[in-house]
Amino acid sequence: MIKSLFSLILITVLSFPSFAQYEEEAIKEVILEAYVNGVYNEGVLRNIKLGFSEKFQAFEIDKDGNMSVQNLEQWKAEVEKRIKDGKYPVSATEKVSLRYHNVDIFRNMAHVKITFLIGNQTYAREVLTLYKSPKGWLILTKTFQKQTSSKSKD
């Protein structure tokens, strides 16, 4: 009887995803809906508002080490312009997708290392930083460098 009960408990525990797996899936969902679809593929301002911190900043580092910075308002203005210009949804050849390399979660923060693809071509390597607010996971920063050659070295 005790052996059967132990087996039942073990099966029950193993059948539920771990807390870390749940958090990783929640993070990937925010990145997909707010970042990939909200900004690039569909232009959904509501998703951007729900998935980004108001203090969001994007840092681009070029091949020479120069850095440029954009804030969330600048990003939203670009999306609004593309909406107005009828650029959404994007075509299949312009569709953005991500390849995840690492999702590192520590308490209420996460760092996500990704390759950013347009169509099937590598466009940039990125690190996203998210934090878990009372509303859920929010994208706080993006640091990226564009691919400089046609051959990808992931």
Side-chain angles (χ1 to χ4, degrees), residues 49-93:
K49 182 177 181 177
L50 293 173
F52 281 83
S53 165
E54 292 176 5
K55 297 179 189 260
F56 169 82
Q57 289 192 307
F59 301 90
E60 178 180 0
I61 302 169
D62 71 16
K63 63 182 175 63
D64 297 320
N66 301 310
M67 183 173 56
S68 61
V69 181
Q70 283 189 307
N71 63 34
L72 185 59
E73 292 307 313
Q74 291 168 306
W75 267 37
K76 287 195 299 191
E78 288 179 14
V79 171
E80 288 169 348
K81 182 178 181 336
R82 290 195 301 255
I83 290 169
K84 184 180 174 185
D85 294 344
K87 304 232 175 167
Y88 293 112
V90 298
S91 69
T93 59

Coordinates of all heavy atoms in Angstrom, one line a residue, residues 49-93:
K49 N 2.3 47.2 -25.0 CA 2.0 47.8 -23.7 C 1.9 46.8 -22.6 O 2.4 47.0 -21.5 CB 0.6 48.5 -23.8 CG 0.2 49.2 -22.5 CD -1.1 50.0 -22.6 CE -1.3 50.7 -21.3 NZ -2.5 51.5 -21.4
L50 N 1.4 45.6 -22.9 CA 1.3 44.5 -21.8 C 2.6 43.8 -21.6 O 2.8 43.3 -20.5 CB 0.2 43.5 -22.2 CG -1.2 44.0 -22.3 CD1 -2.1 42.9 -22.8 CD2 -1.6 44.5 -20.9
G51 N 3.5 43.8 -22.5 CA 4.7 42.9 -22.4 C 6.0 43.7 -22.2 O 7.0 43.0 -21.9
F52 N 6.0 45.0 -22.3 CA 7.2 45.8 -22.1 C 7.1 46.6 -20.9 O 6.1 47.2 -20.6 CB 7.5 46.7 -23.3 CG 8.1 46.0 -24.5 CD1 7.2 45.3 -25.4 CD2 9.4 46.0 -24.7 CE1 7.8 44.6 -26.5 CE2 10.0 45.4 -25.8 CZ 9.1 44.7 -26.7
S53 N 8.3 46.8 -20.2 CA 8.3 47.8 -19.1 C 8.3 49.2 -19.7 O 8.9 49.4 -20.7 CB 9.7 47.5 -18.3 OG 9.9 48.7 -17.5
E54 N 7.7 50.1 -19.0 CA 7.7 51.5 -19.4 C 9.1 52.0 -19.4 O 9.4 53.0 -20.1 CB 6.8 52.3 -18.5 CG 5.4 52.0 -18.6 CD 4.5 52.8 -17.7 OE1 5.0 53.7 -17.0 OE2 3.3 52.5 -17.6
K55 N 10.1 51.4 -18.8 CA 11.4 51.9 -18.7 C 12.3 51.1 -19.7 O 13.5 51.2 -19.7 CB 12.0 51.7 -17.3 CG 11.3 52.5 -16.3 CD 11.8 52.3 -14.9 CE 10.9 53.0 -13.9 NZ 11.4 54.3 -13.4
F56 N 11.7 50.4 -20.6 CA 12.4 49.6 -21.6 C 13.4 50.4 -22.4 O 13.2 51.6 -22.8 CB 11.4 49.0 -22.6 CG 12.1 48.3 -23.8 CD1 12.7 47.1 -23.7 CD2 12.2 49.0 -25.0 CE1 13.3 46.5 -24.8 CE2 12.8 48.5 -26.1 CZ 13.4 47.2 -26.0
Q57 N 14.6 49.8 -22.7 CA 15.6 50.4 -23.6 C 16.2 49.3 -24.4 O 16.4 48.2 -24.0 CB 16.7 51.1 -22.8 CG 16.2 52.4 -22.1 CD 17.3 53.2 -21.6 OE1 18.2 52.7 -20.9 NE2 17.3 54.5 -22.0
A58 N 16.5 49.7 -25.7 CA 17.2 48.8 -26.6 C 18.5 49.4 -26.9 O 18.6 50.6 -27.3 CB 16.4 48.7 -27.9
F59 N 19.6 48.6 -26.8 CA 20.9 49.0 -27.0 C 21.5 48.2 -28.2 O 21.5 47.0 -28.2 CB 21.8 48.7 -25.8 CG 21.4 49.3 -24.5 CD1 20.5 48.7 -23.7 CD2 21.8 50.6 -24.2 CE1 20.1 49.3 -22.5 CE2 21.4 51.2 -23.0 CZ 20.5 50.6 -22.2
E60 N 21.8 49.0 -29.3 CA 22.5 48.3 -30.4 C 24.0 48.6 -30.3 O 24.4 49.8 -30.2 CB 21.9 48.9 -31.7 CG 22.6 48.2 -32.9 CD 22.2 48.7 -34.3 OE1 21.2 49.6 -34.3 OE2 22.7 48.3 -35.3
I61 N 24.8 47.6 -30.4 CA 26.2 47.8 -30.5 C 26.7 47.3 -31.9 O 26.5 46.2 -32.3 CB 26.9 46.9 -29.4 CG1 26.3 47.3 -28.0 CG2 28.4 47.0 -29.4 CD1 26.7 46.3 -26.9
D62 N 27.3 48.3 -32.6 CA 27.7 48.0 -33.9 C 29.1 47.2 -33.9 O 29.7 47.1 -32.9 CB 27.7 49.2 -34.9 CG 28.8 50.2 -34.5 OD1 29.8 49.9 -33.8 OD2 28.7 51.3 -35.0
K63 N 29.6 46.8 -35.1 CA 30.8 46.0 -35.2 C 32.0 46.8 -34.7 O 33.0 46.2 -34.3 CB 31.0 45.5 -36.6 CG 31.2 46.6 -37.6 CD 31.3 45.9 -39.0 CE 31.4 47.0 -40.1 NZ 32.6 47.8 -40.1
D64 N 31.9 48.1 -34.6 CA 33.1 48.9 -34.2 C 33.0 49.3 -32.7 O 33.8 50.0 -32.2 CB 33.1 50.2 -35.0 CG 33.4 50.0 -36.5 OD1 34.2 49.0 -36.8 OD2 32.8 50.6 -37.3
G65 N 31.9 48.8 -32.0 CA 31.7 49.0 -30.6 C 31.0 50.3 -30.3 O 30.8 50.6 -29.1
N66 N 30.4 51.0 -31.3 CA 29.6 52.1 -31.0 C 28.2 51.7 -30.6 O 27.7 50.7 -31.0 CB 29.5 53.0 -32.3 CG 30.8 53.5 -32.8 OD1 31.6 54.0 -32.0 ND2 31.1 53.2 -34.1
M67 N 27.6 52.5 -29.7 CA 26.3 52.1 -29.2 C 25.2 53.1 -29.4 O 25.5 54.3 -29.3 CB 26.4 51.9 -27.7 CG 25.1 51.4 -27.0 SD 25.3 50.9 -25.3 CE 25.9 52.4 -24.6
S68 N 24.0 52.7 -29.8 CA 22.9 53.6 -29.9 C 21.8 53.0 -29.0 O 21.7 51.8 -28.7 CB 22.4 53.7 -31.4 OG 22.0 52.4 -31.8
V69 N 20.9 53.9 -28.5 CA 19.9 53.5 -27.6 C 18.5 54.0 -28.0 O 18.4 55.2 -28.5 CB 20.2 54.1 -26.2 CG1 19.2 53.7 -25.2 CG2 21.6 53.7 -25.7
Q70 N 17.5 53.2 -27.9 CA 16.1 53.6 -28.1 C 15.3 53.3 -26.9 O 15.5 52.2 -26.3 CB 15.5 52.9 -29.3 CG 16.0 53.4 -30.7 CD 15.2 52.8 -31.8 OE1 15.1 51.6 -31.9 NE2 14.6 53.6 -32.6
N71 N 14.3 54.1 -26.6 CA 13.4 53.8 -25.5 C 12.0 53.2 -26.1 O 11.9 53.2 -27.3 CB 13.2 55.0 -24.6 CG 12.5 56.1 -25.3 OD1 11.7 56.0 -26.2 ND2 12.9 57.4 -25.0
L72 N 11.2 52.9 -25.2 CA 9.9 52.3 -25.6 C 9.0 53.2 -26.5 O 8.4 52.8 -27.4 CB 9.1 51.8 -24.4 CG 7.8 51.1 -24.7 CD1 8.1 49.8 -25.5 CD2 7.1 50.7 -23.4
E73 N 9.0 54.5 -26.1 CA 8.2 55.5 -26.9 C 8.7 55.5 -28.3 O 7.9 55.6 -29.3 CB 8.2 56.8 -26.2 CG 7.5 56.9 -24.9 CD 6.1 56.3 -25.0 OE1 5.3 56.7 -25.9 OE2 5.7 55.5 -24.1
Q74 N 10.0 55.5 -28.5 CA 10.6 55.5 -29.9 C 10.1 54.2 -30.7 O 9.8 54.3 -31.8 CB 12.1 55.6 -29.9 CG 12.5 57.0 -29.4 CD 14.0 57.0 -29.1 OE1 14.5 56.2 -28.3 NE2 14.7 57.9 -29.7
W75 N 10.2 53.1 -30.0 CA 9.8 51.9 -30.6 C 8.3 51.9 -31.0 O 7.9 51.5 -32.1 CB 10.0 50.7 -29.7 CG 11.3 50.0 -29.9 CD1 12.5 50.6 -30.2 CD2 11.6 48.7 -29.8 NE1 13.5 49.7 -30.3 CE2 13.0 48.5 -30.0 CE3 10.8 47.6 -29.5 CZ2 13.6 47.3 -30.0 CZ3 11.4 46.3 -29.4 CH2 12.8 46.2 -29.7
K76 N 7.4 52.4 -30.1 CA 6.0 52.4 -30.3 C 5.7 53.4 -31.5 O 4.9 53.1 -32.3 CB 5.2 52.8 -29.1 CG 5.2 51.7 -28.1 CD 4.1 51.9 -27.0 CE 4.3 53.1 -26.1 NZ 3.4 53.1 -24.9
A77 N 6.4 54.5 -31.6 CA 6.3 55.4 -32.7 C 6.6 54.8 -34.0 O 5.9 55.0 -35.0 CB 7.1 56.7 -32.5
E78 N 7.6 54.0 -34.0 CA 8.0 53.2 -35.3 C 6.9 52.2 -35.7 O 6.5 52.1 -36.8 CB 9.3 52.5 -35.1 CG 10.5 53.5 -35.1 CD 11.8 52.7 -34.9 OE1 11.9 51.5 -35.1 OE2 12.8 53.4 -34.6
V79 N 6.4 51.5 -34.7 CA 5.3 50.6 -35.0 C 4.0 51.3 -35.4 O 3.4 50.9 -36.4 CB 4.9 49.7 -33.7 CG1 3.7 48.9 -33.9 CG2 6.1 48.8 -33.4
E80 N 3.7 52.4 -34.8 CA 2.5 53.2 -35.2 C 2.7 53.7 -36.7 O 1.7 53.7 -37.4 CB 2.3 54.4 -34.3 CG 1.8 54.0 -32.9 CD 1.8 55.1 -31.9 OE1 2.4 56.2 -32.1 OE2 1.2 54.9 -30.8
K81 N 3.9 54.1 -37.0 CA 4.1 54.5 -38.4 C 4.0 53.4 -39.4 O 3.3 53.5 -40.5 CB 5.5 55.1 -38.6 CG 5.8 55.6 -40.0 CD 7.2 56.3 -40.1 CE 7.6 56.8 -41.4 NZ 6.9 56.3 -42.6
R82 N 4.5 52.2 -39.0 CA 4.3 51.0 -39.9 C 2.9 50.6 -40.0 O 2.4 50.2 -41.1 CB 5.2 49.9 -39.4 CG 6.7 50.2 -39.7 CD 7.6 48.9 -39.5 NE 7.5 48.3 -38.3 CZ 8.5 48.3 -37.3 NH1 9.6 49.0 -37.5 NH2 8.3 47.7 -36.2
I83 N 2.1 50.7 -38.9 CA 0.7 50.5 -39.0 C 0.0 51.4 -40.0 O -0.7 51.0 -40.9 CB 0.0 50.6 -37.6 CG1 0.5 49.4 -36.7 CG2 -1.5 50.6 -37.7 CD1 0.1 49.6 -35.2
K84 N 0.3 52.7 -39.8 CA -0.3 53.7 -40.7 C 0.1 53.5 -42.1 O -0.7 53.7 -43.0 CB 0.2 55.1 -40.2 CG -0.4 56.3 -41.0 CD 0.1 57.6 -40.4 CE -0.4 58.7 -41.3 NZ 0.2 60.0 -40.9
D85 N 1.3 53.0 -42.4 CA 1.8 52.8 -43.8 C 1.3 51.5 -44.3 O 1.7 51.1 -45.4 CB 3.3 52.9 -43.8 CG 3.8 54.3 -43.5 OD1 3.1 55.3 -43.6 OD2 5.1 54.4 -43.3
G86 N 0.5 50.7 -43.5 CA 0.0 49.4 -44.0 C 1.1 48.3 -44.1 O 0.9 47.4 -45.0
K87 N 2.1 48.3 -43.3 CA 3.2 47.3 -43.4 C 2.9 46.1 -42.6 O 3.8 45.2 -42.6 CB 4.5 48.0 -43.0 CG 4.8 49.3 -43.7 CD 6.1 49.2 -44.3 CE 6.3 50.5 -45.2 NZ 7.6 50.8 -45.5
Y88 N 1.8 45.9 -41.9 CA 1.5 44.7 -41.2 C 0.3 44.1 -41.8 O -0.6 44.7 -42.3 CB 1.1 45.1 -39.7 CG 2.3 45.6 -38.9 CD1 2.3 46.9 -38.5 CD2 3.4 44.8 -38.6 CE1 3.4 47.4 -37.7 CE2 4.4 45.2 -37.8 CZ 4.4 46.5 -37.4 OH 5.5 47.0 -36.7
P89 N 0.1 42.7 -41.7 CA 1.2 41.8 -41.2 C 2.3 41.7 -42.3 O 2.0 42.0 -43.4 CB 0.4 40.5 -41.0 CG -0.7 40.6 -42.0 CD -1.1 42.0 -42.1
V90 N 3.4 41.3 -41.8 CA 4.6 41.2 -42.7 C 4.4 40.0 -43.6 O 3.7 39.0 -43.3 CB 5.9 41.2 -42.0 CG1 6.1 42.5 -41.2 CG2 6.0 40.0 -41.1
S91 N 5.1 39.9 -44.7 CA 5.1 38.8 -45.6 C 5.9 37.7 -45.0 O 6.7 37.9 -44.1 CB 5.7 39.2 -47.0 OG 7.1 39.4 -46.9
A92 N 5.8 36.5 -45.6 CA 6.5 35.3 -45.1 C 8.0 35.5 -45.1 O 8.8 35.0 -44.3 CB 6.1 34.1 -45.9
T93 N 8.5 36.2 -46.2 CA 10.0 36.4 -46.3 C 10.5 37.4 -45.3 O 11.7 37.5 -45.0 CB 10.4 36.9 -47.7 OG1 9.7 38.1 -48.0 CG2 10.0 35.8 -48.7

